């Protein structure tokens, strides 16, 4: 048997074109007879039979064949031919690996695997992304429980961390229906009850209300399903009235004169909301009137959020004073060509909406994007963008990368500033020292900055950029980058440092907005 | 399977030869059966023996002859075997071909086409691997067109031959052997594609059907598949979606498709196989920042060959030329500016 192998006529290419067979498959060939034409970039070469016999071709004309492959064999006898016939299934050329063979992104594939979702069930032209998988999961959930999730169908929750209560079981905190009817028909007498009594009565009739919950003077909470976790404080004269459910996560606090009207409200933990805030407005009883506010969000005084379509507010979002979100417009007839819009609004995680800014129906503000004060947003703002103007236009990035050396410089400067502040407040502070740590003592407590925390001084409050070890007993470490507290102790000094850090946008949970008995 | 680019170009030449009897092909080693170093002219000399003129190694004279033929109303097509040797014709190009029409007050035109392959990644070494089209970019009154495997190569050839202006059609060595991947149903693979209606069209690619994008990558020619690989990797691995504008007309500069895309994405990366300094990317960057400074949220990034000569050894050549990885890094650098 002879083999016809494609040799490297041109060492610079990996493939050559098998341009033409000069003999029929299974033909008798003579030694030295040209049997095929191979084309490379700079040459067309005829290949001759290395011996006489019956040729068995392994590739079709017109295919690119990897150099070094056998393109045909020549059988010298009938027996040899028979054995070649057995494995004569034509070998296909090795396909060059192409990244486009894959359609789903890594994130999509991982998410699909976690949720046991079949990627093949996503019918879509183009790439399958994490968002597509999320939407499929949401649709499947919605199909499973048509009452609850359906209002969000089609709205991506990508980059929006929903509060944990979002998937609340329908029976949790459900009120006795007759009591709810009474509450609805005569809410005024309930309002006038002392705060503790209101909480006790709600609990008695089925609401799930945690420890330390304060429901202010003249305030009302009315919904068929009420879940309020530990430590929630609702100021005086609040009106919370939801058609289906209201859920509030632990340690969230709301100032005076809150108005929360919608069908379903899921508010996360550690939210800080100012006074005279309104959620609701036109259409707040609509089936799509769903409000979610993520953990650690900030809502400024007199903010107004219209909820007739879903409004999803992500984790650590800032919706500052007097800002305004609308989910519909009002005006003349759509048949006369006037805009008639009812659409959801999404503020992705860590987005910031400046003072007095307006977010129009249908807009999505990307993660960590900033909308400047008094801007009017009429379209989507991409993640990480800085947008300003009427209408808002992206003019730059919301942040920039900070190098490690610059972080260290900033950490040291924070110590300088805190030192100055405490001194001006009249506290006894030592001089700043700069040895293995940078810092000072106040009231006998060392406040120290180290770029990387290994082990601390007893009783110290340590600020650091990375935590490499467990703090010893009585040492408290603030990881400024991860925004996490490690260890315990610190007392008033720790509270002061936290408050000081908060004003620099470095907030430590739980209850990042609350400081008691601090020195600053 | 789509036809290979070399076959499409070859058929287009056969078509223009059949359509017009004033079309000539001049070049080295273009006669059958060899049919040119890259086989683009295969079969032409057998079919049109009087109109396919094989020449000595004499590029400078060749440009002069072609210019003369064009001035006399013929439509010569020059095949310069390797784009590197366009340097030999620069005097004819810059001081003759580009100027005749204006010097003679529009009484003459110079409708010639220069076809030539550029690009490396073949191990052909310092003088057979360059991308020198940037040398032509400052020359007034000529047209520089870069073919890519995603463009309609037949149309580019036909349009170039019909064009009254001198047209330099830049081909690419690796492109020849690849399938001519044209949009089907508005898509190439998983990417949506829009094609401009210009005579030498631009293709704009998007992984999100043009709804969003992190950056625009403007490129041409042999870098198109490299950039598309990078964009696919960015999507699959990082869910970063970039638009790609694959120009075919490099000169006169066609900025509209780039500006339209940048308006959507707010960031620009340029990618070319030629050396960085004084290149295509520099010109595009200057013009884009001038036209839409406020749309840009970060500095324009340029991906190009290192400023050096191309070594013969493949690993060294690979290190010299821009790769898909370089494009990914440029986008990641832009992202770092953002976050």
């Amino acid at each position: 048997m002879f083999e016809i192998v494609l040799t490297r006529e041109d060492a610079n290419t990996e493939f050559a074109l098998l341009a033409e067979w000069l003999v029929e498959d299974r033909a008798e060939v003579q030694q030295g007879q040209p049997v095929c034409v191979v084309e490379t970039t700079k040459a067309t070469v005829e290949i001759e039979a290395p011996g006489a016999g019956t040729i068995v071709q392994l590739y079709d004309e017109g295919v690119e064949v990897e150099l070094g492959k056998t393109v045909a064999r020549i059988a010298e006898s009938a027996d040899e031919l028979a054995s070649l016939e057995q494995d004569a299934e034509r070998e296909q050329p090795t396909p060059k690996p192409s990244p486009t063979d894959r359609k789903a992104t890594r994130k999509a594939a991982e998410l699909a695997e976690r949720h046991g979702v079949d990627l093949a069930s996503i019918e879509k032209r183009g790439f399958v992304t994490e968002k597509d998988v999320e939407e499929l999961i949401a649709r499947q959930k919605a199909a499973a429980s048509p009452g609850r999730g359906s209002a969000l169908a089609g709205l991506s929750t990508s980059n929006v961390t929903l509060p944990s209560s979002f998937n609340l079981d329908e029976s949790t905190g459900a009120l006795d229906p007759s009591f709810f009817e009474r509450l609805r028909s005569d809410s005024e007498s309930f309002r006038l009850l002392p705060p503790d009594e209101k909480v006790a009565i709600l609990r008695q009739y089925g609401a799930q209300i945690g420890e330390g919950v304060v429901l202010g003077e003249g305030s009302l909470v009315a919904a068929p399903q009420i879940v309020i976790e530990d430590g929630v404080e609702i100021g005086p004269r609040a009106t919370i009235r939801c058609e289906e459910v209201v859920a509030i996560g632990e340690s969230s606090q709301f100032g005076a004169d809150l108005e929360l009207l919608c069908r379903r409200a899921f508010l996360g933990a550690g939210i800080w909301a100012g006074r005279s805030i309104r959620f609701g407005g036109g259409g707040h009883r609509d089936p799509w009137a769903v409000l979610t506010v993520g953990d650690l969000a900030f809502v400024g005084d007199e903010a107004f959020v219209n909820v007739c379509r879903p409004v999803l507010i992500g984790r650590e979002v800032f919706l500052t004073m007097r800002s305004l979100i609308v989910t519909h417009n009002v005006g003349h007839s759509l048949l006369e060509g006037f805009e008639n819009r009812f659409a959801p609004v999404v503020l992705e995680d860590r987005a910031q909406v400046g003072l007095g800014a307006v977010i129009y129906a249908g807009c999505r503000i990307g993660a960590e994007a900033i909308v400047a004060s008094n801007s009017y947003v009429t379209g989507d703002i991409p993640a990480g963008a800085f947008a300003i103007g009427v209408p808002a236009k992206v003019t730059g990035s919301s942040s920039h990368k900070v190098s490690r050396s610059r972080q260290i410089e900033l950490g040291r400067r924070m110590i300088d500033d805190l030192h100055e502040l405490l001194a001006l407040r009249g506290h006894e502070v030592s001089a700043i020292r700069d040895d293995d740590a940078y810092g000072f003592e106040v009231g006998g407590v060392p406040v120290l900055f180290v770029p990387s925390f290994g082990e601390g001084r007893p009783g110290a409050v340590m600020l650091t950029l990375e935590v490499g070890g467990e703090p010893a007993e009585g040492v408290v470490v603030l990881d400024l980058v991860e925004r996490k507290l490690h260890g315990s102790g610190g007392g008033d000094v720790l509270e002061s440092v936290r408050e000081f850090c908060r004003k620099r946008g470095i907030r430590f949970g739980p209850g990042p907005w609350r400081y008691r008995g601090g020195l600053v | 399977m789509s036809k290979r680019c070399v076959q499409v170009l070859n058929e287009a030449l056969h078509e223009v030869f059949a359509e017009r009897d004033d079309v000539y092909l001049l070049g080295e080693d273009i006669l059958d059966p060899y049919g040119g170093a890259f086989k683009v002219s295969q079969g032409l000399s057998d079919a049109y023996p009087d109109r396919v003129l094989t020449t000595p190694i004499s590029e400078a004279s060749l440009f002069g002859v072609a210019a003369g033929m064009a001035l006399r109303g013929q439509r010569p097509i020059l095949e310069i075997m390797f784009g590197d040797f366009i340097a030999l014709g620069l005097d004819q190009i810059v001081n003759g071909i580009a100027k005749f029409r204006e010097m003679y007050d529009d009484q003459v035109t110079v409708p010639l086409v220069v076809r030539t392959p550029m690009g490396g990644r073949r191990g052909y070494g310092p003088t057979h691997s360059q991308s020198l089209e940037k040398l032509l970019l400052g020359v007034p009154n000529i047209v520089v067109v870069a073919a890519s495997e995603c463009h309609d190569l037949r149309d580019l050839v036909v349009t170039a031959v019909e064009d009254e202006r001198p047209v330099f059609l830049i081909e690419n060595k690796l492109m020849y052997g690849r399938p001519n991947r044209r949009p089907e149903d508005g898509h190439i693979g998983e990417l949506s594609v829009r094609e401009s209606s210009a005579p030498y069209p631009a293709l704009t690619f998007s992984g999100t059907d043009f709804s969003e994008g992190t950056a625009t990558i403007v490129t041409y020619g042999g870098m198109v598949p490299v950039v598309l690989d990078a964009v696919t990797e960015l999507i699959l691995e990082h869910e970063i979606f970039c638009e790609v504008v694959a120009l075919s007309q490099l000169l006169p500069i066609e900025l509209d498709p780039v500006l339209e895309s940048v308006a959507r994405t707010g960031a620009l990366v340029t990618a070319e196989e030629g050396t960085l300094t004084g290149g295509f990317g520099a010109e595009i960057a200057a013009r884009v920042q001038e036209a839409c400074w406020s749309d840009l949220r970060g500095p324009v990034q340029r991906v190009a060959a290192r400023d050096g000569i191309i070594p013969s050894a493949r690993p060294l050549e690979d290190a010299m030329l821009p790769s898909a990885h370089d494009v990914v890094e440029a986008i990641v650098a832009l992202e770092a500016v953002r976050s």
Side-chain angles (χ1 to χ4, degrees), chain A residues 444-446 453 455-462 470-477 486-491 493-494:
Chain A
V445 177
F453 173 80
E455 53 188 298
R457 313 259 164 91
V461 173
M462 308 283 296
E470 259 319 294
E473 187 67 28
V475 178
V476 60
V477 181
H486 299 264
S488 57
V493 174
L494 172 65

Side-chain angles (χ1 to χ4, degrees), chain A residues 12 17 41 105-106 125 130, chain B residues 37 122 187 236-237 239:
Chain A
N12 302 319
L17 178 72
T41 50
T105 66
R106 178 192 294 278
R125 184 82 206 238
E130 190 177 28
Chain B
R122 275 270 155 116
H187 284 76
L236 291 176
E237 296 301 317
E239 289 209 359

Side-chain angles (χ1 to χ4, degrees), chain A residues 297-312:
Chain A
F298 174 100
V299 186
D301 297 349
E302 297 173 47
F304 172 55
V305 179
N306 167 226
V307 189
C308 79
R309 288 297 177 274
V311 174
L312 308 185

Side-chain angles (χ1 to χ4, degrees), chain A residues 316-350:
Chain A
E316 291 185 66
V317 163
F318 278 81
L319 188 63
T320 59
M321 204 171 178
R322 292 196 175 180
S323 53
L324 204 147
I325 293 176
V326 293
T327 49
H328 75 105
N329 69 340
V330 289
H332 300 301
S333 165
L334 78 165
L335 298 180
E336 293 172 39
F338 291 95
E339 179 167 67
N340 178 263
R341 184 187 283 234
F342 289 78
V345 168
V346 180
L347 309 186
E348 293 182 359
D349 292 350
R350 293 166 62 88

Side-chain angles (χ1 to χ4, degrees), chain A residues 10-14 17 39-44 62 64 96 98-100 102-108 124-131 368 382-385 393-402, chain B residues 4 6 33-34 36-39 42 81-82 121-124 128 173 177-178 181 184-185 187-191 207 212 229 232-233 235-239 241 294-298 314 336-339:
Chain A
D10 174 352
N12 302 319
T13 56
E14 300 304 319
L17 178 72
E39 218 179 73
T40 64
T41 50
K42 287 202 76 175
T44 298
E64 289 222 304
K96 294 182 215 177
S98 157
T100 47
R102 238 173 79 206
K103 241 188 103 170
T105 66
R106 178 192 294 278
K107 286 179 181 173
K124 186 193 177 195
R125 184 82 206 238
F127 293 98
V128 173
T129 62
E130 190 177 28
K131 190 170 151 187
E368 299 194 348
K393 227 182 145 199
V394 174
T395 59
S397 307
S398 59
S399 63
H400 62 271
K401 200 178 168 73
V402 179
Chain B
R4 294 188 309 141
V6 62
Y34 187 64
F38 294 93
K39 312 298 163 205
Q42 200 135 51
M81 192 191 281
F82 284 89
R121 310 185 200 280
R122 275 270 155 116
Y124 288 173
H128 290 71
K173 297 178 192 101
R178 296 203 167 128
R181 297 191 288 161
E184 282 168 32
D185 192 19
H187 284 76
I188 291 180
E190 305 304 334
L191 296 168
E212 57 179 305
D229 281 353
T232 304
E233 183 189 330
I235 293 172
L236 291 176
E237 296 301 317
H238 309 287
E239 289 209 359
F241 290 87
S294 62
D295 283 346
L296 292 170
R297 56 165 198 283
R314 284 303 298 279
V337 170
R338 244 155 71 96
S339 57

